[in-house]
Amino acid sequence: MSGSKIRVLVAEEVRYFLQFVEVPADVQIEWLPTSAAVPEGDYKGLLPLLSRRVDESVLERLPQLMVVANFAVGFDNIDLDATRARGVPVSNTPDVLTGATADLTWSLILAVSRRIVEAERLAREGKWTWHPTLLLGMQLSGRRLGLLGAGRIGQAVGRRAIPFGMEVVYWDRIEQPEFEAEIGARRIESLDEVLASADLVSIHVQLSEETAGLIGRDQIARMKDGAILINTARGGIVDEDALCEALESGKLRGAGLDVYEGEPQIRECLKRLSNVVLLPHVGSATEDTRRKMFELAWENLMLGVRREPLLTPV
Ligand code: GLV
């Protein structure tokens, strides 16, 4: 029995980062692997990974829950209607992962546009001699980058496009005048217009009811022939079957994906293609960033269990 301790359930996978925070004497951690079901109990706080669905079936096991401190900036794994109905505040980890995710997005942009993975394989296999038409890629300078979503991460991706000589346009419900002034980005209200005119489209919207399937067959058909699609946001935003067809037919030159509809499963058709670069959801995976994500999630957890305002509520 835990006496008067405040019990919190924390994803086992973040245990390494506990060394970077202080655990108050009245708090008792119980480690919960993400593959295990949430146990019933008098837990006051829950710190889950993005791969744990937190819905009514979880909340009913935790009647005393006072906070869900998600270890992610995205929170599509949490049923916010259910948490709201029970008055349980939820937090995420914005800002601390913006730079790392934008860097990773650019890793994909460069890898796809310059065919880095194909080239690396060829070099390793030793099946090449220098040739003027070997592995020709897409030059970035002078090309248009279309950002779908110009929040923190979208803007950071846009900023990084300027030294590459790209023009930046964005599609977002909200105008971003400071971003526009800073890098000369231009807002385009019509999604179709962004898709039809961008050489490279990069997705940075949240997954929600409005954005699920946002990039479907029709939207891909509207994209420029030979364009590139990058997704480091959430898999459910893109129709992966339609994407496979467009990559197979050559309608799209290539794609770079860090996220998938059925994570951690990846469709066979994507795995077969050489013009797509596939990463295992590592957008924020740097030592510094993951540590900061934990520190922020932990702080939110500790505030929540004492009914204090969260640092980064959603
Ligand atoms: C990663 O995808 C996150 O939402 O933090």
Side-chain angles (χ1 to χ4, degrees):
M1 285 303 287
S2 53
S4 60
K5 290 225 178 192
I6 299 171
R7 298 169 81 206
V8 293
L9 275 173
V10 180
E12 162 83 48
E13 295 83 352
V14 297
R15 199 175 193 140
Y16 164 78
F17 300 105
L18 193 71
Q19 60 186 304
F20 303 118
V21 299
E22 261 177 52
V23 182
D26 61 346
V27 168
Q28 179 180 316
I29 299 175
E30 274 171 54
W31 298 105
L32 180 67
T34 298
S35 56
V38 169
E40 279 181 41
D42 60 354
Y43 302 98
K44 301 280 194 292
L46 174 65
L47 191 156
L49 301 187
L50 55 80
S51 39
R52 175 172 307 276
R53 177 97 192 123
V54 179
D55 55 15
E56 184 53 30
S57 70
V58 166
L59 298 175
E60 67 188 12
R61 290 159 172 261
L62 307 173
Q64 297 196 28
L65 196 66
M66 295 165 76
V67 59
V68 179
N70 213 31
F71 185 76
V73 68
F75 43 86
D76 49 288
N77 58 313
I78 298 174
D79 180 344
L80 289 183
D81 290 335
T83 53
R84 232 175 262 130
R86 285 180 175 265
V88 177
V90 175
S91 64
N92 65 343
T93 60
D95 297 317
V96 292
L97 48 60
T98 299
T101 308
D103 290 348
L104 196 278
T105 304
W106 268 90
S107 307
L108 281 175
I109 292 174
L110 291 167
V112 177
S113 65
R114 297 303 301 272
R115 305 173 64 180
I116 296 297
V117 176
E118 280 177 87
E120 205 267 353
R121 267 186 218 134
L122 205 62
R124 221 174 257 273
E125 288 165 5
K127 291 186 193 153
W128 64 284
T129 49
W130 194 89
H131 192 283
T133 60
L134 179 67
L135 286 167
L136 300 183
M138 180 202 270
Q139 179 100 14
L140 295 178
S141 58
R143 293 248 151 67
R144 174 178 284 193
L145 171 64
L147 300 169
L148 305 189
R152 285 172 285 248
I153 297 172
Q155 290 190 27
V157 170
R159 266 180 221 114
R160 285 159 173 71
I162 301 309
F164 285 95
M166 296 189 81
E167 179 204 1
V168 178
V169 299
Y170 70 98
W171 176 79
D172 199 299
R173 269 178 301 142
I174 304 169
E175 264 183 74
Q176 304 288 356
E178 283 173 24
F179 176 53
E180 293 182 14
E182 185 188 342
I183 69 157
R186 189 163 61 80
R187 178 168 176 250
I188 296 182
E189 275 181 52
S190 148
L191 174 60
D192 285 354
E193 199 182 321
V194 176
L195 295 173
S197 68
D199 301 287
L200 216 145
V201 172
S202 191
I203 301 177
H204 303 289
V205 289
Q206 285 174 5
L207 175 60
S208 66
E209 271 173 26
E210 285 149 46
T211 62
L214 180 73
I215 304 303
R217 199 170 300 277
D218 292 350
Q219 288 68 33
I220 291 175
R222 281 183 199 117
M223 285 176 71
K224 243 177 136 167
D225 289 345
I228 289 172
L229 182 69
I230 304 289
N231 188 6
T232 57
R234 282 293 182 269
I237 297 163
V238 176
D239 175 342
E240 290 176 350
D241 287 329
L243 177 62
C244 277
E245 282 166 30
L247 288 166
E248 244 159 20
S249 70
K251 158 75 189 168
L252 295 185
R253 174 189 291 261
L257 306 176
D258 187 40
V259 288
Y260 308 89
E261 238 174 318
E263 281 179 29
Q265 256 68 53
I266 302 180
R267 273 180 169 57
E268 283 305 315
C269 68
L270 287 172
K271 288 198 263 186
R272 273 200 307 272
L273 292 165
S274 58
N275 54 348
V276 53
V277 176
L278 305 171
L279 300 181
H281 203 148
V282 287
S284 61
T286 71
E287 286 168 22
D288 298 2
T289 292
R290 286 281 160 84
R291 174 178 168 170
K292 286 183 189 149
M293 286 168 69
F294 181 73
E295 288 169 345
L296 181 54
W298 179 259
E299 239 183 292
N300 278 311
L301 188 75
M302 290 301 98
L303 290 167
V305 297
R306 299 188 199 280
R307 251 188 240 300
E308 286 175 34
L310 307 182
L311 292 179
T312 50
V314 303

